[in-house]
C-alpha cells in the first residue's frame, strides 16, 4: 500500500523567459498588464519545460521526502502525457493515469518576466473527469467487476492529497466518502474553481478532512467572512472541522489552527524569487509530509516553509522541491513560530 496518493491536476508547464514592457491596466486584479507587440516576432531568452499541476507537484514533494507515492489523474493520448509519466517515474512516483480519448494533456505556457509570471493555461484532460474515469468510485454497491476492484484497491493509501479543479471537483464528495470508508486520511487544497462553484459542499465535507490548506483570499471566500476578521474565519473553520487548517499569505507566511492553538510563522527568506509558481503546493504538500512524519504542527510548518522557499528560488513548481538532506541544511533549522491558545 502507498503512503500517499495525490489526486487532481497534472500539467506540463512551459516557461518562456522574456523581457516585456509592463503597463498600468486597471482591468486586471494586479492592475498591470504586459505588452507584446501584435503581429510581430519576439525573441525569448530561455525556455524551461517542467512538470506541473497541483497533484503532480505535491507528489514530487512526498516522493523526495521518502514516502511511497502515487499520483492519480487524467492525461491525453499524446507526447506531453508520456513526458509527464516519465518525469513522475524518474521521481519515483507511480503514475496512475486515465487517458482521455478526446482531450489533450494539460499544458500551460508561463511568460516569466522578472520573477513574476503570467499563465496561459490549457487544462484539457486534466480537469475534465467523467464518472467512467473512476469506475471504482461509482461501482461501489453495484458489484464492481474485478478490474474495477483492483483499480480501487490500488487507490487505497494511508493518506490522500486532493486538489481538484474543473469537473474533477464534481467527485470531491464521493472521494471523501471513499476515503472515510477506507480509513484514508485526507489533505485537501481546494481550487479557486471549486470554492466558487462548490462552496457549500466543501463546508459540509470539512468534518472528514484532516488537513485543509488555503490562502487568505480562498479562506475568506470559503467561509464568506472577510479575512480582516481573521479570528472569525478560523472560528468558523474550526467549528466545521476537527482537523488542522493552514491559511497562507505569500511572503507574510502562514497561520495554522488545530482548534486548540493558533500558530503563526513568517518565512525562510529566499535568496531570490526566480518564480513563485507552486509555492502553495510546496507548502501544502510539505506540511502534509511533516504531519505524516511526526504529527507535530511546528515541524510541519518548518518543513512546509523550507519547501516553499526552495521552490520559489527555482523556475517551475517542481525543480526546487526539497529532499530530506536539503531540509537538514542549517538555513532551515530555525523558524520563529508563535503559539497562542484559542
Ligand atoms: N517569496 C516567498 N519566499 C518564501 N516563502 C514563500 C514565498 N512565497 C510564498 N512562500 C511560502 O509559501 C506559502 C504559500 O504561498 P502562497 O500564500 O503564495 O500560496 P498560494 O496563494 O496558494 O500560491 P499558489 O499561487 O502557488 O497557489 C506561504 O505561506 C509561505 O510560507
Ligand atoms: Mg494555492
Amino acid at each position: 500500500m502507498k503512503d500517499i496518493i495525490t489526486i487532481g491536476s497534472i500539467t506540463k508547464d512551459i516557461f518562456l523567459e522574456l523581457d516585456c514592457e509592463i503597463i498600468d491596466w486597471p482591468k486586471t486584479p494586479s492592475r498591470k498588464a504586459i505588452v507584446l507587440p501584435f503581429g510581430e516576432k519576439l525573441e525569448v531568452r530561455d525556455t524551461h519545460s517542467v512538470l506541473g499541476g497541483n497533484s503532480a507537484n505535491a507528489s514530487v514533494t512526498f516522493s523526495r521526502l521518502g514516502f511511497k507515492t502515487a499520483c492519480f489523474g487524467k492525461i491525453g493520448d499524446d507526447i506531453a502525457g508520456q513526458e509527464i509519466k516519465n518525469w513522475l517515474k524518474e521521481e519515483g512516483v507511480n503514475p496512475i493515469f486515465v487517458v482521455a480519448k478526446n482531450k489533450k494533456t494539460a499544458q500551460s505556457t508561463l511568460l516569466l518576466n522578472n520573477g513574476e509570471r503570467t499563465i496561459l493555461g490549457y487544462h484539457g484532460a486534466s480537469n475534465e473527469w467523467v464518472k467512467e474515469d473512476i469506475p471504482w468510485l461509482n461501482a461501489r454497491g453495484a458489484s464492481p467487476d474485478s478490474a474495477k476492484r483492483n483499480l480501487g484497491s490500488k487507490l487505497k493509501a494511508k493518506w490522500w492529497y486532493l486538489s481538484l479543479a474543473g469537473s474533477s471537483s464534481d467527485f470531491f464528495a464521493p472521494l471523501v466518502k471513499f476515503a472515510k470508508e477506507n480509513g484514508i486520511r485526507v489533505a485537501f487544497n481546494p481550487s479557486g474553481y471549486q470554492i466558487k462553484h462548490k462552496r457549500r459542499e466543501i463546508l459540509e465535507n470539512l468534518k472528514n478532512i484532516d488537513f485543509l490548506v488555503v490562502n487568505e483570499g480562498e479562506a475568506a471566500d470559503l467561509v464568506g467572512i472577510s479575512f480582516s476578521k481573521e479570528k472569525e474565519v478560523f472560528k468558523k473553520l474550526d467549528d466545521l472541522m476537527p482537523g488542522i487548517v493552514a491559511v497562507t499569505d505569500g511572503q507574510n507566511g502562514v497561520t495554522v489552527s488545530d482548534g486548540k492553538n493558533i500558530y503563526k510563522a513568517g518565512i525562510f527568506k529566499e535568496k531570490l524569487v526566480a518564480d513563485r509558481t507552486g509555492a502553495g503546493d510546496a507548502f501544502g504538500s510539505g506540511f502534509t509530509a511533516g504531519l505524516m512524519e511526526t504529527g507535530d504542527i511546528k515541524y510541519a510548518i518548518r518543513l512546509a516553509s523550507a519547501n516553499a522557499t526552495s521552490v520559489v528560488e527555482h523556475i517551475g513548481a517542481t525543480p526546487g522541491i526539497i529532499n530530506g538532506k536539503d531540509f537538514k541544511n542549517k538555513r532551515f533549522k530555525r523558524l520563529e513560530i508563535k503559539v497562542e491558545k484559542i
Side-chain angles (χ1 to χ4, degrees), residues 54 163 189-191 213-215 218 248 278-281:
N54 308 92
S163 194
N189 176 219
S191 61
V213 57
V214 281
N215 66 29
E218 292 161 348
T248 64
D281 297 335

Side-chain angles (χ1 to χ4, degrees), residues 83-289:
E83 236 177 328
I84 288 174
K85 256 190 181 171
N86 293 340
W87 281 332
L88 285 171
K89 284 185 190 159
E90 280 165 23
E91 290 288 348
V93 175
N94 176 209
I96 306 176
F97 287 171
V98 174
V99 180
K101 290 186 191 74
N102 50 7
K103 285 277 170 187
K104 293 177 202 152
T105 297
Q107 283 199 65
S108 293
T109 303
L110 299 94
L111 308 181
L112 191 57
N113 192 35
N114 277 327
E116 187 53 283
R117 82 283 191 267
T118 302
I119 305 179
L120 311 175
Y122 167 73
H123 295 111
S126 177
N127 293 353
E128 296 202 11
W129 294 13
V130 289
K131 66 179 191 315
E132 290 72 30
D133 296 334
I134 33 177
W136 45 276
L137 199 58
N138 299 289
R140 276 170 319 109
S143 86
D145 63 33
S146 63
K148 288 171 184 170
R149 264 202 309 272
N150 282 347
L151 187 55
S153 60
K154 251 202 210 171
L155 269 297
K156 284 181 190 159
K158 293 178 194 154
W159 278 81
W160 275 0
Y161 186 96
L162 296 183
S163 194
L164 307 164
S167 66
S168 72
S169 62
D170 294 348
F171 300 97
F172 169 68
L175 283 166
V176 172
K177 188 161 174 271
F178 182 95
K180 173 99 181 142
E181 287 168 0
N182 288 283
I184 301 165
R185 301 185 73 190
V186 179
F188 174 46
N189 176 219
S191 61
Y193 178 94
Q194 192 180 356
I195 293 173
K196 189 160 173 225
H197 297 278
K198 303 274 169 67
R199 185 177 158 257
R200 289 250 150 259
E201 189 180 72
I202 297 176
L203 295 176
E204 280 160 17
N205 279 277
L206 287 181
K207 58 180 183 293
N208 292 322
I209 299 296
D210 295 278
F211 171 55
L212 169 74
V213 57
V214 281
N215 66 29
E216 281 191 359
E218 292 161 348
D221 290 345
L222 185 57
V223 295
I225 302 172
S226 152
F227 207 81
S228 59
K229 298 175 190 157
E230 184 186 314
K231 282 213 159 74
E232 283 180 40
V233 174
F234 276 102
K235 165 109 183 52
K236 177 130 191 203
L237 289 170
D238 286 334
D239 286 348
L240 288 171
M241 63 183 292
I244 298 165
V245 53
V247 179
T248 64
D249 181 22
Q251 285 173 309
N252 298 318
V254 68
T255 308
V256 177
S257 173
D258 62 358
K260 298 189 273 297
N261 293 299
I262 292 272
Y263 301 74
K264 273 190 184 291
I267 59 166
F268 287 112
K269 183 74 190 130
E270 71 282 345
K271 292 176 191 149
L272 83 165
V273 179
D275 162 38
R276 69 185 173 85
T277 311
D281 297 335
F283 191 94
S285 56
F287 194 103
T288 308

